[in-house]
Amino acid sequence: MSDRETWTTRLGFILASVGSAVGLGNIWRFPFQTATNGGAAFLFVYLVAVVVIGLPAILAEFVVGRRAEMSAIGAFDELGHPGWRAVGALGVFAGFWTLSYYSVVGGWVIRYIGQAAMGSYGSNPKVFFGNVSAGPEAVALHALFMLLAVGIVAFGIEGGIERATKVMVPAIVLILVGLVGYGASLAGAGEAYDYFLTPDFGVIVANAPSVIPAAVGQALFSLSLGFAVMITYASYIDGDESLPVDGLSIAVTNTAIGILAGLVVFPLLFTQGVGPDTSGPGAVFIALPTALSDFGAAGRVVGVAFFVVILIAALSSAISLLEVAVSYLVDTHGFERRRTTAVLGVLLFLLGIPSAWDTAWLSWFDSIAVNLLLPVAVLLLVLFVGWVLAPDAVDELRIGSGDSFDDLAPLWLWSLRTVVLLAVLVTVALSVTELTGAPV
Ligand code: PFF
């Protein structure tokens, strides 16, 4: 496909991928996952999961995408394995599914920027969150968020996604670093750092069956794996750069930003005595406003900055999810990009209405996505790359990496076939058990 777009620079690809990885998962999901899974102990297992599972898995998606130069589903035809198209199809479906409720949370964030500017979250932030997170206003803000995502993706890879993420990712880092500085000046910072950064290994041992799958799931979700985003983004690479170097840069930046978010959230919570045990999706929207409303003018500035960061992060991830479906329809069916993006935006808006209407639906959509679709999709990808594509995958990974990688590439394949496969299998089994046991 000669007229297919590509990233203009290698940095453009890296920043777009970081933009995808850094999202609600880092700032909204990560703090409450940490809080419910034992604080620093969770952080430790998560870091191990990123290196041992996330990194090999992101390289698996990169290899498929760059070798095929084709979006999620067509990539498998292009590689000569049309029987495995289902892996791409599952990715496209799962991404679509996820974006429908991700956008609803994005809408809440827009709302909270306004609230933070006014410094008011109602007399009781919990009741307030209950009122604004579901219903007609949530539906309207979900529409607005979708519109923003459509507005970027409609302009394509270079003029839309690359251009936007080049500004968005540095903005996220700058604002977060400023906020970390503010967090460090708070009275509760010491206690918060201790909670967040000093692991109690007893907690890991005692709660391994729940902490490990939660950390693996968080690592996969946070690196935007399973939903064919990294296949799609890598398909737009024009060059022989070293994929392991790119993957490592993306994983390190993504993890660093997650940690920065924790260094902002926990000092605020500890200083106000709200405590870390803020389980559930309301964590950032209830506990944090509770803490912020006691900080006066500083609380407003910090609140606006914080919710703006979340919005940028959410949007730069949402566009990657939308791009997966758009690029499939454009590549495989020859549809026109702008119209396709707009139509998909409308369909996503409709699919998200139940989640915007009732948070029980949102939790259900989220748990199907993270506990079922994501680990199953990663499992299939690992089987495909580990066994079907295997020698070609190793060749592709070696490109641009110099001689030093001659030994590491087979090690990567071995890790996919053993550690990653095992971890994902266990995660699928445990997550599905949790799914069936969870109240909807
Ligand atoms: N990585 C994003 C986050 O942490 O919020 C979420 C995400 C985006 C997951 C895109 C999967 C994906 F394909």
Side-chain angles (χ1 to χ4, degrees), residues 147-311:
L147 199 66
L148 294 174
V150 166
I152 296 174
V153 174
F155 288 96
I157 291 301
E158 190 185 325
I161 297 179
E162 185 169 353
R163 204 159 55 149
T165 48
K166 241 185 218 166
V167 179
M168 291 165 113
V169 173
I172 293 172
V173 175
L174 281 179
I175 304 175
L176 266 185
V177 167
L179 287 172
V180 170
Y182 174 74
S185 72
L186 297 174
E191 200 191 340
Y193 293 165
D194 198 38
Y195 169 78
F196 188 47
L197 302 174
T198 315
D200 172 355
F201 290 101
V203 173
I204 303 179
V205 176
N207 301 305
S210 62
V211 171
I212 292 175
V216 173
Q218 176 65 21
L220 296 175
F221 184 77
S222 182
L223 284 171
S224 295
L225 294 170
F227 303 162
V229 165
M230 295 303 174
I231 296 182
T232 307
Y233 273 12
S235 75
Y236 294 115
I237 295 177
D238 175 29
D240 290 345
E241 62 210 53
S242 164
L243 294 178
V245 171
D246 288 4
L248 193 64
S249 321
I250 294 161
V252 167
T253 315
N254 179 52
T255 305
I257 292 178
I259 293 176
L260 288 182
L263 294 179
V264 177
V265 173
F266 291 118
L268 280 166
L269 299 182
F270 273 86
T271 303
Q272 285 316 104
V274 178
D277 194 15
T278 53
S279 56
V284 158
F285 298 96
I286 298 169
L288 210 67
T290 306
L292 286 171
S293 46
D294 284 339
F295 283 107
R300 288 192 198 187
V301 177
V302 169
V304 170
F306 189 72
F307 285 111
V308 165
V309 165
I310 305 186
L311 179 64

Side-chain angles (χ1 to χ4, degrees), residues 17-29 61 91 94-95 98 102 218-230 254 313-314 316-318 320-321 324 374:
S17 304
V18 168
S20 171
V22 173
L24 295 170
N26 302 59
I27 309 178
W28 167 66
R29 206 169 183 278
E61 290 208 16
T98 302
Y102 202 84
Q218 176 65 21
L220 296 175
F221 184 77
S222 182
L223 284 171
S224 295
L225 294 170
F227 303 162
V229 165
M230 295 303 174
N254 179 52
S316 62
S317 300
S320 70
L321 288 167
V324 171
L374 176 111

